[in-house]
Amino acid sequence: MKQQMEFKTESKRLLDLMIHSIYTNKEIFLRELISNASDAIDKYHLLSLTDETLEKTNDYEIHIEVDKKHRKIKITDNGIGMTYDELVNNLGTIAKSGTLEFLQKIKEKSMKETDLIGQFGVGFYSSFMVSKKVQVVTKSPFSDTAYKWVSEGEESFTIEETKREERGTEITLYLRKNEDDENYDIFLETYKIKSLVKKYSDYVKYPITLENEVEKPKLDDEGKEIEGEFDKVFENETINTRTPIWNKPKSDVTDDQLNEFYKSTYYDYDNPQYTFWNNIEGALTYKSLIFIPGKAPYNLYSEKYEKGLQLYAKDVFVMDKCKELVPDYLRFVKGLVVSQDLSLNISREILQKNSQLVKIAGNLEKKILNELEKSLKNEREKYEEFFKEFGVNLKYGVYDNFGEKKESLKDLLLFKTVNQDKMVSLKEYVEAMPKEQDAIYYGSAPSKDAIKISPQMDIIKSKGYDVLVLTDEVDEFMISILHEYDKKQFKSINQGDLNILDEKEKETIKELETENKDLLETLKEILKEEVTDVKLSTRLTDSPVCLVSGEGLSFEMEKVINQMPGDKKMKADKILEINPKHELFKAIENVFLESKESLNDFASVLYHQALLIEGLPIKDPVAFSNKMIKLMIKAAKSSNTSEKDPA
Ligand code: ADP
């Protein structure tokens, strides 16, 4: 006898949502039904191991049939099936906490339904997104009778006894008619079914078979093909791979296979640079397969780039880019995580707070850094290739979050240096330092050569110290966060006090400063609009002048910060340093003694020279040029008079 029953309130709401859903990714219904079928087979298989009354078998199958003419899709499994009570309870109410939470969220209007369906996976009811009617025929091995459940969503469903001998469940979807902006016919195409299975359920461990209607040439009595005539026949094809590469023993998988898997899954033309495969068992059970590409994807630094790893729960695909699994500075890694503990229908909110996932992410990060460290040690060239491509990300990692990760990243950094042709790590730099050197020197410039010839290098060159060459925008910010390495402070060659002189040299400079106090004060007064200070230099030996910045912001940092959007501009302290050993200084001293007025032009030209050497723009080139000409004419005149001078 056919019974009509009402859905429970919660189910009605969910069904209503499904029926009127504008969710664009309706295709997930197939994943949900296949997962249910796979679970049902799991359940049967487990029970059959201990229950004597159940037939023991390994003959399991999830079968899909498509009937284009009647617009039906049928999904059959030989799992545990449902008794009458189970059918009423399981398909008439919502038991899943995940789905209840989903409804709660929508009720609170805190989320749009369209954002959530795919993430929660709303289970069996998702079939109503594509079907106007759903029929379930099921037989449990614990019931003599099979039952038929039918519903058109809405308010109610019917149940009646039916004929079915085999255990398991057969779900028939009666597809909706196409609408203006919705194409349901597409799900009747075998290629579509195949691609959906590939995408979502390729690694379900039971065979998923598809009954395929194919045309075969008609044969005559002698078995020869009759031209132009065809027979329609049905073929059964297994359409899932079943054993994912990560479920095979590692020893059975070749590097070539892993490379192929990487290329086809993550759309790269080249082999990955690194492949890390980990099977973890214990309190936390998961597998991870991590790849580092050979080349950075073209959009790695664009806002549209989405980092993350694919997430599988029990071999069922859950999410493509689970961003919780990788920190920002490792945004370039690709790969997947297969957790045996996560449930399939897990939402993004839940994922974020999921303690297992947080732990997995922590482990993965450690693993990746360990492997990179090993590579730096054992495969230097390969590591350098990697660093050229992705090193800047590690630098951002050091800088990020106030240096939270700097301890684990500092030994992975490599730098160009002024004296060496190869890249060096901080450890190598420090180990090679002469005994008396107590700081790590660095310079910021677009190239190594620019630093080599800069006047600020004078004293450092004379001491024979090496200098790290910083070329990336993030470098100085990173260095300021690192602050020191192996108790050695970082010192910019063109910033602040180098602290490089011995006591005697310091004494000499002090004396000179006292002697020339008036001159320095006057220069400072003349240039007060341009520089914060005028000092006698401790870093120049050959060059006459240079500009350095104060201890805080450097010129490079000033440039970077002022390029960023926003109108808060920042200025580095500019200090003009004059080389007291240079002839020019003697000349200025003389000018100062003769006439304070002519010092004006000298000071200005001096400052502009320093700007030019530093590669900084000159505000008023015409005025500068005029002053130069004035000085040249004066110099020519005075040399004329001195030539004519009989004395
Ligand atoms: P979930 O599978 O996440 O629990 P669903 O709404 O998809 O939620 O399904 C509800 C319940 O219906 C399942 O928990 C299961 O007990 C039962 N069920 C669904 N599909 C099948 C099936 N193919 N065979 C046996 N039981 C099923």
Side-chain angles (χ1 to χ4, degrees):
M1 199 188 72
K2 193 156 156 178
Q3 281 177 290
Q4 176 149 356
M5 293 186 194
E6 291 264 309
F7 283 112
K8 289 272 154 58
T9 329
E10 233 84 47
S11 295
K12 277 188 203 167
R13 281 187 38 223
L14 185 55
L15 281 163
D16 188 57
L17 269 169
M18 292 301 110
I19 290 165
H20 300 110
S21 173
I22 50 158
Y23 182 56
T24 47
N25 215 20
K26 295 185 171 160
E27 60 186 36
I28 59 145
F29 79 90
L30 192 63
R31 167 188 90 179
E32 299 294 307
L33 295 183
I34 290 175
S35 294
N36 281 350
S38 171
D39 285 349
I41 297 176
D42 276 347
K43 275 184 210 158
Y44 177 83
H45 185 71
L46 267 177
L47 277 176
S48 75
L49 298 178
T50 50
D51 192 325
E52 299 283 302
T53 64
L54 298 180
E55 176 209 2
K56 289 200 179 21
T57 175
N58 271 317
D59 218 356
Y60 297 115
E61 183 180 353
I62 299 164
H63 182 64
I64 305 175
E65 264 169 73
V66 175
D67 179 347
K68 266 192 179 172
K69 195 165 157 210
H70 300 101
R71 311 187 80 254
K72 289 193 298 192
I73 303 175
K74 204 195 278 179
I75 297 149
T76 313
D77 67 69
N78 51 5
I80 190 73
M82 285 176 267
T83 62
Y84 175 86
D85 287 345
E86 284 166 343
L87 193 53
V88 174
N89 285 328
N90 294 343
L91 302 189
T93 53
I94 298 172
K96 279 186 304 181
S97 57
T99 311
L100 286 175
E101 198 187 324
F102 162 79
L103 285 172
Q104 191 59 33
K105 281 258 148 58
I106 297 199
K107 197 166 153 193
E108 291 162 7
K109 292 253 183 304
S110 59
M111 294 295 273
K112 275 212 289 282
E113 153 245 336
T114 45
D115 295 334
L116 284 175
I117 292 175
Q119 292 166 14
F120 275 88
V122 280
F124 170 76
Y125 288 149
S126 63
S127 42
F128 285 97
M129 285 195 295
V130 297
S131 322
K132 59 180 197 289
K133 182 170 108 179
V134 178
Q135 172 186 300
V136 180
V137 171
T138 184
K139 162 126 188 358
S140 159
F142 304 110
S143 159
D144 293 332
T145 330
Y147 295 93
K148 180 157 87 184
W149 179 104
V150 178
S151 175
E152 297 185 11
E154 313 289 351
E155 301 285 310
S156 63
F157 56 89
T158 60
I159 291 193
E160 65 188 303
E161 287 187 10
T162 190
K163 277 213 154 23
R164 182 184 161 93
E165 297 297 326
E166 322 81 63
R167 124 200 129 234
T169 304
E170 171 195 293
I171 296 178
T172 311
L173 310 181
Y174 295 83
L175 286 195
R176 297 198 208 175
K177 289 237 152 50
N178 278 355
E179 290 156 21
D180 286 348
D181 50 355
E182 283 297 350
N183 178 359
Y184 299 104
D185 286 356
I186 184 114
F187 300 120
L188 295 167
E189 301 296 339
T190 47
Y191 81 86
K192 184 67 184 174
I193 300 283
K194 280 184 191 173
S195 78
L196 289 181
V197 167
K198 255 258 139 345
K199 180 168 175 188
Y200 293 111
S201 317
D202 201 30
Y203 302 128
V204 166
K205 53 184 176 290
Y206 307 108
I208 301 172
T209 55
L210 177 66
E211 193 169 277
N212 228 342
E213 197 185 52
V214 290
E215 290 189 335
K216 287 228 159 143
K218 227 184 183 131
L219 302 180
D220 63 17
D221 294 342
E222 288 164 27
K224 277 209 190 116
E225 289 181 12
I226 308 172
E227 227 188 276
E229 288 193 42
F230 296 92
D231 271 333
K232 286 202 167 158
V233 289
F234 289 99
E235 276 188 351
N236 243 340
E237 189 187 350
T238 301
I239 53 175
N240 57 333
T241 309
R242 296 181 62 191
T243 309
I245 203 159
W246 58 82
N247 276 353
K248 292 180 184 161
K250 272 193 193 179
S251 52
D252 284 4
V253 180
T254 64
D255 286 352
D256 273 353
Q257 283 170 324
L258 277 172
N259 288 344
E260 283 315 313
F261 173 79
Y262 164 79
K263 286 191 277 194
S264 61
T265 314
Y266 304 105
Y267 310 108
D268 198 348
Y269 297 112
D270 301 316
N271 289 337
Q273 176 84 307
Y274 295 98
T275 302
F276 312 135
W277 180 351
N278 238 11
N279 296 342
I280 302 294
E281 268 174 49
L284 207 59
T285 299
Y286 68 92
K287 294 176 183 175
S288 65
L289 199 46
I290 305 283
F291 301 97
I292 296 182
K295 289 260 171 291
Y298 72 97
N299 60 349
L300 184 62
Y301 302 108
S302 89
E303 266 175 45
K304 289 218 184 83
Y305 181 85
E306 277 182 84
K307 63 161 187 170
L309 301 175
Q310 294 179 314
L311 182 64
Y312 286 83
K314 304 184 184 77
D315 298 335
V316 177
F317 179 68
V318 181
M319 200 179 289
D320 198 27
K321 296 272 169 72
C322 181
K323 63 178 190 312
E324 285 74 22
L325 283 170
V326 275
D328 271 343
Y329 73 88
L330 293 176
R331 65 208 318 257
F332 53 86
V333 303
K334 308 257 180 212
L336 54 92
V337 167
V338 187
S339 163
Q340 293 307 317
D341 309 318
L342 290 175
S343 101
L344 170 62
N345 297 321
I346 188 160
S347 78
R348 235 179 218 286
E349 275 81 34
I350 298 172
L351 271 183
Q352 269 164 13
K353 286 179 238 134
N354 186 288
S355 63
Q356 298 185 9
L357 212 68
V358 171
K359 275 189 211 140
I360 293 177
N363 286 356
L364 287 180
E365 184 179 356
K366 251 188 246 148
K367 166 87 185 159
I368 294 170
L369 297 186
N370 274 343
E371 292 288 339
L372 289 175
E373 221 164 292
K374 265 197 254 166
S375 171
L376 171 61
K377 226 178 177 175
N378 306 323
E379 327 160 287
R380 182 66 175 227
E381 237 172 82
K382 181 170 170 182
Y383 185 81
E384 285 190 16
E385 286 293 310
F386 156 78
F387 196 82
K388 266 183 214 145
E389 207 58 32
F390 298 109
V392 69
N393 292 280
L394 301 187
K395 293 173 179 178
Y396 276 106
V398 170
Y399 175 68
D400 212 25
N401 245 333
F402 310 102
E404 187 193 353
K405 298 279 164 67
K406 66 177 179 185
E407 285 309 313
S408 40
L409 291 175
K410 63 182 183 189
D411 282 314
L412 287 171
L413 303 172
L414 291 181
F415 297 87
K416 286 185 198 149
T417 81
V418 167
N419 294 350
Q420 302 178 63
D421 286 331
K422 61 175 183 77
M423 309 267 279
V424 303
S425 67
L426 291 173
K427 193 159 170 254
E428 289 161 347
Y429 178 94
V430 168
E431 278 169 2
M433 273 166 45
K435 226 176 174 179
E436 79 283 0
Q437 183 184 347
D438 63 357
I440 300 172
Y441 293 103
Y442 67 89
S444 272
S447 76
K448 188 167 161 156
D449 289 339
I451 293 184
K452 247 185 184 160
I453 56 167
S454 75
Q456 288 92 340
M457 276 294 289
D458 284 0
I459 180 97
I460 292 175
K461 254 192 253 169
S462 74
K463 299 253 175 198
Y465 298 165
D466 203 356
V467 173
L468 303 179
V469 178
L470 307 188
T471 48
D472 285 325
E473 276 187 359
V474 65
D475 282 340
E476 283 199 83
F477 296 92
M478 170 191 75
I479 292 280
S480 72
I481 286 276
L482 271 179
H483 194 63
E484 58 170 41
Y485 179 87
D486 197 17
K487 303 209 180 73
K488 313 275 187 298
Q489 292 214 346
F490 288 94
K491 277 242 156 259
S492 163
I493 58 158
N494 43 11
Q495 206 179 353
D497 183 6
L498 274 189
N499 215 357
I500 207 168
L501 302 184
D502 58 33
E503 288 308 314
K504 221 177 118 203
E505 291 167 312
K506 272 187 204 159
E507 204 48 48
T508 324
I509 286 280
K510 245 199 193 135
E511 278 167 21
L512 273 173
E513 254 170 356
T514 330
E515 272 171 38
N516 292 289
K517 199 166 169 256
D518 272 357
L519 169 61
L520 292 173
E521 289 289 318
T522 316
L523 286 172
K524 200 170 152 183
E525 180 56 32
I526 299 171
L527 293 172
K528 69 168 187 277
E529 299 289 318
E530 336 286 349
V531 300
T532 30
D533 207 354
V534 180
K535 279 183 176 168
L536 293 185
S537 182
T538 58
R539 72 190 88 214
L540 297 175
T541 57
D542 304 327
S543 321
V545 280
C546 72
L547 268 181
V548 302
S549 56
E551 289 288 353
L553 209 59
S554 73
F555 296 145
E556 287 301 314
M557 288 161 112
E558 177 189 289
K559 258 190 246 165
V560 174
I561 288 176
N562 291 342
Q563 270 164 13
M564 291 196 267
D567 21 75
K568 221 178 136 201
K569 299 291 175 217
M570 293 178 86
K571 260 191 129 34
D573 279 347
K574 241 185 233 168
I575 301 164
L576 181 69
E577 288 197 355
I578 308 177
N579 181 359
K581 288 175 234 149
H582 200 280
E583 262 192 280
L584 187 69
F585 183 62
K586 308 266 157 18
I588 297 173
E589 275 181 320
N590 288 337
V591 170
F592 182 58
L593 289 177
E594 273 169 26
S595 103
K596 287 197 179 172
E597 274 91 81
S598 33
L599 193 66
N600 277 340
D601 286 347
F602 262 91
S604 170
V605 170
L606 214 54
Y607 166 67
H608 282 99
Q609 296 285 5
L611 282 181
L612 281 175
I613 295 173
E614 202 59 35
L616 294 170
I618 289 177
K619 248 194 257 157
D620 189 348
V622 177
F624 167 63
S625 166
N626 285 343
K627 272 178 198 153
M628 277 298 283
I629 291 167
K630 206 167 132 193
L631 283 178
M632 283 161 85
I633 293 172
K634 213 169 157 189
K637 268 188 190 157
S638 72
S639 77
N640 265 348
T641 38
S642 58
E643 261 167 39
K644 280 174 201 156
D645 197 345

